[in-house]
Amino acid sequence: MTGATASRVNRWVDAAWAERFLSERDEIPHRADGFAALLEVLPERVGRVLDLGTGDGFALSMVLGERPGASGVGVDFQPAMLARAAERFDRDDRVELIEHDLDLRLPDSLGIFDLVVSSFAIHHCSPDRQRSLYAEVYDLLEPGGMFVNLEHVASPTRALHEEFLGAIGKTPEHDDPSNQLVEVVPLLGWLVEAGFTDADCLWKWRELALLTARRP
Ligand SMILES: C[S@@+](CC[C@H](N)C(=O)[O-])C[C@H]1O[C@@H](n2cnc3c(N)ncnc32)[C@H](O)[C@@H]1O
């Protein structure tokens, strides 16, 4: 199943949808707090970092800003996003950008990393794929490597979901049909099932959550 051909909706195949997100994302409440929490948990030494669903490279650039000696790979399936990322990283030979659909197995050619990050991207895959992707991330990490996933997670109830939408200035009619949200507890369980240790939710505001785990 690919994002482009699946019967379910993934609006991110549409360049205009992606561009609209880029123009609006700074207005998402507490988004900056989530990224601050992500930066706070970065390992002291990072050699190679992978950013899944990198978009315009926002999270990858933050990580490289904090760990300038690292090199990075950004993966996304949306060409318009990758073009924005290429602009952002112009002439930065630490960065490689790869077009890949996260609904498909991660390519072996990516190599091995000591840090895998993702911000607000993996929840566009089906829950089954999120679970298998966590296992693939584990396989891509060096022993001791970290997975840091700033994610959009499910509310436990419809009422809380609608409160979340209200808090970000949206109504249920304007909910993103691409979202395949999963609650924090099963997500943490899938990390443990994949073999990770220290799986935890270290920051959360309503449906925005920072999930972290380490490969033993
Ligand atoms: C909400 S944006 C987040 C972008 C960026 N990580 C950020 O935090 O600003 C979601 C990103 O996931 C990407 N995405 C969605 N579904 C994908 C898929 N199946 N494969 C690869 N990328 C996907 C979109 O193209 C988009 O760049």
Side-chain angles (χ1 to χ4, degrees):
M1 193 161 93
T2 70
T5 58
S7 54
R8 69 176 177 81
V9 178
N10 189 338
R11 298 294 306 272
W12 296 91
V13 297
D14 177 0
W17 183 267
E19 294 288 351
R20 200 182 73 174
F21 165 77
L22 292 180
S23 68
E24 292 177 352
R25 73 177 166 196
D26 288 346
E27 291 155 30
I28 300 170
H30 299 282
R31 182 173 171 278
D33 300 333
F35 279 102
L38 181 152
L39 293 182
E40 196 187 301
V41 302
L42 289 183
E44 203 160 304
R45 301 168 76 90
V46 179
R48 240 183 135 228
V49 52
L50 172 66
D51 182 10
L52 296 172
T54 192
D56 69 338
F58 185 86
L60 186 56
S61 72
M62 290 192 100
V63 173
L64 293 176
E66 291 289 314
R67 300 290 183 270
S71 61
V73 177
V75 169
D76 206 286
F77 77 161
Q78 171 47 256
M81 283 297 209
L82 288 169
R84 294 293 206 101
E87 272 170 38
R88 182 193 285 279
F89 295 117
D90 187 30
R91 286 192 283 275
D92 187 338
D93 58 13
R94 295 173 301 172
V95 175
E96 186 184 357
L97 299 170
I98 294 177
E99 186 172 334
H100 175 76
D101 185 342
L102 293 175
D103 282 336
L104 305 176
R105 199 178 159 73
L106 294 173
D108 291 336
S109 56
L110 287 176
I112 296 294
F113 299 86
D114 41 22
L115 175 66
V116 176
V117 297
S118 185
S119 56
F120 306 121
I122 295 175
H123 67 278
H124 298 118
C125 296
S126 71
D128 280 350
R129 178 58 188 141
Q130 294 180 43
R131 186 179 194 169
S132 63
L133 187 54
Y134 282 12
E136 288 172 32
V137 168
Y138 181 90
D139 289 340
L140 287 181
L141 281 167
E142 304 266 15
M146 268 193 92
F147 180 30
V148 180
N149 184 18
L150 185 56
E151 187 58 294
H152 186 173
V153 301
S155 286
T157 65
R158 180 83 212 162
L160 287 169
H161 176 60
E162 288 179 9
E163 277 182 26
F164 166 75
L165 290 176
I168 64 166
K170 288 196 173 170
T171 59
E173 300 77 62
H174 296 103
D175 212 352
D176 180 352
S178 324
N179 291 344
Q180 310 241 359
L181 306 181
V182 178
E183 286 180 49
V184 165
V185 170
L187 290 174
L188 293 177
W190 294 345
L191 290 168
V192 172
E193 177 187 272
F196 285 101
T197 188
D198 296 333
D200 203 356
C201 174
L202 291 184
W203 173 87
K204 189 170 185 291
W205 176 75
R206 295 178 182 264
E207 293 188 1
L208 311 186
L210 184 73
L211 306 173
T212 63
R214 187 183 312 280
R215 179 173 171 152

mmCIF file of all heavy atoms in Angstrom, residues 172-190:
data_model
loop_
_atom_site.group_PDB
_atom_site.id
_atom_site.type_symbol
_atom_site.label_atom_id
_atom_site.label_comp_id
_atom_site.label_asym_id
_atom_site.label_seq_id
_atom_site.Cartn_x
_atom_site.Cartn_y
_atom_site.Cartn_z
ATOM 1 N N PRO A 172 -14.343 19.908 13.762
ATOM 2 C CA PRO A 172 -14.265 18.530 13.253
ATOM 3 C C PRO A 172 -14.339 18.454 11.727
ATOM 4 O O PRO A 172 -13.714 17.595 11.120
ATOM 5 C CB PRO A 172 -15.464 17.846 13.914
ATOM 6 C CG PRO A 172 -15.656 18.615 15.192
ATOM 7 C CD PRO A 172 -15.296 20.040 14.864
ATOM 8 N N GLU A 173 -15.068 19.389 11.102
ATOM 9 C CA GLU A 173 -15.168 19.362 9.625
ATOM 10 C C GLU A 173 -13.816 19.612 8.970
ATOM 11 O O GLU A 173 -13.595 19.227 7.826
ATOM 12 C CB GLU A 173 -16.151 20.426 9.099
ATOM 13 C CG GLU A 173 -17.586 20.314 9.596
ATOM 14 C CD GLU A 173 -17.729 20.822 11.028
ATOM 15 O OE1 GLU A 173 -17.465 22.016 11.259
ATOM 16 O OE2 GLU A 173 -18.087 20.018 11.913
ATOM 17 N N HIS A 174 -12.935 20.313 9.698
ATOM 18 C CA HIS A 174 -11.626 20.626 9.122
ATOM 19 C C HIS A 174 -10.520 19.709 9.649
ATOM 20 O O HIS A 174 -9.340 19.987 9.513
ATOM 21 C CB HIS A 174 -11.264 22.094 9.372
ATOM 22 C CG HIS A 174 -12.197 23.025 8.679
ATOM 23 N ND1 HIS A 174 -13.197 23.708 9.340
ATOM 24 C CD2 HIS A 174 -12.323 23.344 7.368
ATOM 25 C CE1 HIS A 174 -13.887 24.427 8.468
ATOM 26 N NE2 HIS A 174 -13.383 24.224 7.263
ATOM 27 N N ASP A 175 -10.948 18.594 10.246
ATOM 28 C CA ASP A 175 -9.972 17.617 10.734
ATOM 29 C C ASP A 175 -9.210 17.055 9.532
ATOM 30 O O ASP A 175 -9.773 16.923 8.450
ATOM 31 C CB ASP A 175 -10.742 16.482 11.428
ATOM 32 C CG ASP A 175 -9.952 15.888 12.576
ATOM 33 O OD1 ASP A 175 -8.776 16.241 12.723
ATOM 34 O OD2 ASP A 175 -10.535 15.057 13.298
ATOM 35 N N ASP A 176 -7.930 16.725 9.730
ATOM 36 C CA ASP A 176 -7.110 16.202 8.627
ATOM 37 C C ASP A 176 -7.449 14.729 8.407
ATOM 38 O O ASP A 176 -7.167 13.895 9.269
ATOM 39 C CB ASP A 176 -5.625 16.373 8.985
ATOM 40 C CG ASP A 176 -4.710 15.862 7.890
ATOM 41 O OD1 ASP A 176 -5.202 15.233 6.928
ATOM 42 O OD2 ASP A 176 -3.487 16.096 7.996
ATOM 43 N N PRO A 177 -8.048 14.393 7.256
ATOM 44 C CA PRO A 177 -8.424 12.994 7.037
ATOM 45 C C PRO A 177 -7.221 12.073 6.862
ATOM 46 O O PRO A 177 -7.364 10.846 6.849
ATOM 47 C CB PRO A 177 -9.245 13.054 5.739
ATOM 48 C CG PRO A 177 -8.772 14.285 5.036
ATOM 49 C CD PRO A 177 -8.344 15.256 6.104
ATOM 50 N N SER A 178 -6.030 12.641 6.723
ATOM 51 C CA SER A 178 -4.818 11.808 6.590
ATOM 52 C C SER A 178 -4.388 11.219 7.930
ATOM 53 O O SER A 178 -3.567 10.306 7.963
ATOM 54 C CB SER A 178 -3.642 12.640 6.072
ATOM 55 O OG SER A 178 -4.025 13.603 5.149
ATOM 56 N N ASN A 179 -4.888 11.789 9.020
ATOM 57 C CA ASN A 179 -4.409 11.354 10.334
ATOM 58 C C ASN A 179 -4.908 9.951 10.693
ATOM 59 O O ASN A 179 -6.095 9.654 10.541
ATOM 60 C CB ASN A 179 -4.883 12.328 11.421
ATOM 61 C CG ASN A 179 -4.211 13.673 11.308
ATOM 62 O OD1 ASN A 179 -3.200 13.804 10.629
ATOM 63 N ND2 ASN A 179 -4.781 14.684 11.972
ATOM 64 N N GLN A 180 -3.984 9.121 11.192
ATOM 65 C CA GLN A 180 -4.330 7.758 11.644
ATOM 66 C C GLN A 180 -3.821 7.653 13.078
ATOM 67 O O GLN A 180 -2.836 6.961 13.350
ATOM 68 C CB GLN A 180 -3.623 6.743 10.776
ATOM 69 C CG GLN A 180 -3.805 7.015 9.314
ATOM 70 C CD GLN A 180 -4.500 5.879 8.597
ATOM 71 O OE1 GLN A 180 -4.847 4.860 9.197
ATOM 72 N NE2 GLN A 180 -4.710 6.048 7.355
ATOM 73 N N LEU A 181 -4.480 8.427 13.938
ATOM 74 C CA LEU A 181 -3.919 8.643 15.270
ATOM 75 C C LEU A 181 -4.042 7.422 16.177
ATOM 76 O O LEU A 181 -5.056 6.729 16.168
ATOM 77 C CB LEU A 181 -4.624 9.844 15.919
ATOM 78 C CG LEU A 181 -4.616 11.138 15.086
ATOM 79 C CD1 LEU A 181 -5.327 12.258 15.857
ATOM 80 C CD2 LEU A 181 -3.197 11.541 14.713
ATOM 81 N N VAL A 182 -3.000 7.205 16.959
ATOM 82 C CA VAL A 182 -2.948 6.095 17.917
ATOM 83 C C VAL A 182 -2.638 6.707 19.282
ATOM 84 O O VAL A 182 -1.863 7.669 19.379
ATOM 85 C CB VAL A 182 -1.835 5.096 17.520
ATOM 86 C CG1 VAL A 182 -1.723 3.963 18.537
ATOM 87 C CG2 VAL A 182 -2.087 4.536 16.109
ATOM 88 N N GLU A 183 -3.225 6.163 20.337
ATOM 89 C CA GLU A 183 -2.955 6.687 21.685
ATOM 90 C C GLU A 183 -1.530 6.362 22.141
ATOM 91 O O GLU A 183 -0.899 5.425 21.635
ATOM 92 C CB GLU A 183 -3.960 6.101 22.680
ATOM 93 C CG GLU A 183 -5.349 6.711 22.540
ATOM 94 C CD GLU A 183 -6.326 6.130 23.537
ATOM 95 O OE1 GLU A 183 -5.978 6.064 24.743
ATOM 96 O OE2 GLU A 183 -7.418 5.739 23.118
ATOM 97 N N VAL A 184 -1.061 7.122 23.103
ATOM 98 C CA VAL A 184 0.322 6.986 23.586
ATOM 99 C C VAL A 184 0.622 5.573 24.090
ATOM 100 O O VAL A 184 1.677 5.014 23.781
ATOM 101 C CB VAL A 184 0.588 8.027 24.707
ATOM 102 C CG1 VAL A 184 1.853 7.681 25.478
ATOM 103 C CG2 VAL A 184 0.708 9.421 24.120
ATOM 104 N N VAL A 185 -0.308 4.987 24.856
ATOM 105 C CA VAL A 185 0.011 3.699 25.501
ATOM 106 C C VAL A 185 0.325 2.610 24.470
ATOM 107 O O VAL A 185 1.373 1.949 24.559
ATOM 108 C CB VAL A 185 -1.101 3.298 26.502
ATOM 109 C CG1 VAL A 185 -0.905 1.864 26.982
ATOM 110 C CG2 VAL A 185 -1.092 4.271 27.685
ATOM 111 N N PRO A 186 -0.521 2.401 23.439
ATOM 112 C CA PRO A 186 -0.114 1.401 22.440
ATOM 113 C C PRO A 186 1.165 1.774 21.696
ATOM 114 O O PRO A 186 1.974 0.887 21.385
ATOM 115 C CB PRO A 186 -1.304 1.322 21.476
ATOM 116 C CG PRO A 186 -2.332 2.270 21.953
ATOM 117 C CD PRO A 186 -1.923 2.829 23.270
ATOM 118 N N LEU A 187 1.377 3.050 21.446
ATOM 119 C CA LEU A 187 2.624 3.442 20.760
ATOM 120 C C LEU A 187 3.838 3.038 21.598
ATOM 121 O O LEU A 187 4.816 2.484 21.077
ATOM 122 C CB LEU A 187 2.641 4.945 20.481
ATOM 123 C CG LEU A 187 1.653 5.433 19.420
ATOM 124 C CD1 LEU A 187 1.665 6.967 19.341
ATOM 125 C CD2 LEU A 187 1.962 4.854 18.042
ATOM 126 N N LEU A 188 3.764 3.283 22.899
ATOM 127 C CA LEU A 188 4.885 2.886 23.771
ATOM 128 C C LEU A 188 5.038 1.361 23.782
ATOM 129 O O LEU A 188 6.157 0.833 23.766
ATOM 130 C CB LEU A 188 4.668 3.405 25.201
ATOM 131 C CG LEU A 188 4.722 4.930 25.364
ATOM 132 C CD1 LEU A 188 4.405 5.318 26.816
ATOM 133 C CD2 LEU A 188 6.080 5.493 24.950
ATOM 134 N N GLY A 189 3.912 0.660 23.744
ATOM 135 C CA GLY A 189 3.955 -0.801 23.714
ATOM 136 C C GLY A 189 4.644 -1.303 22.437
ATOM 137 O O GLY A 189 5.409 -2.273 22.483
ATOM 138 N N TRP A 190 4.394 -0.621 21.303
ATOM 139 C CA TRP A 190 5.014 -1.057 20.049
ATOM 140 C C TRP A 190 6.522 -0.808 20.081
ATOM 141 O O TRP A 190 7.291 -1.559 19.487
ATOM 142 C CB TRP A 190 4.390 -0.327 18.860
ATOM 143 C CG TRP A 190 2.947 -0.684 18.663
ATOM 144 C CD1 TRP A 190 2.268 -1.751 19.222
ATOM 145 C CD2 TRP A 190 1.991 0.025 17.882
ATOM 146 N NE1 TRP A 190 0.955 -1.737 18.828
ATOM 147 C CE2 TRP A 190 0.751 -0.671 18.010
ATOM 148 C CE3 TRP A 190 2.030 1.173 17.092
ATOM 149 C CZ2 TRP A 190 -0.409 -0.243 17.365
ATOM 150 C CZ3 TRP A 190 0.883 1.598 16.438
ATOM 151 C CH2 TRP A 190 -0.322 0.897 16.585
#
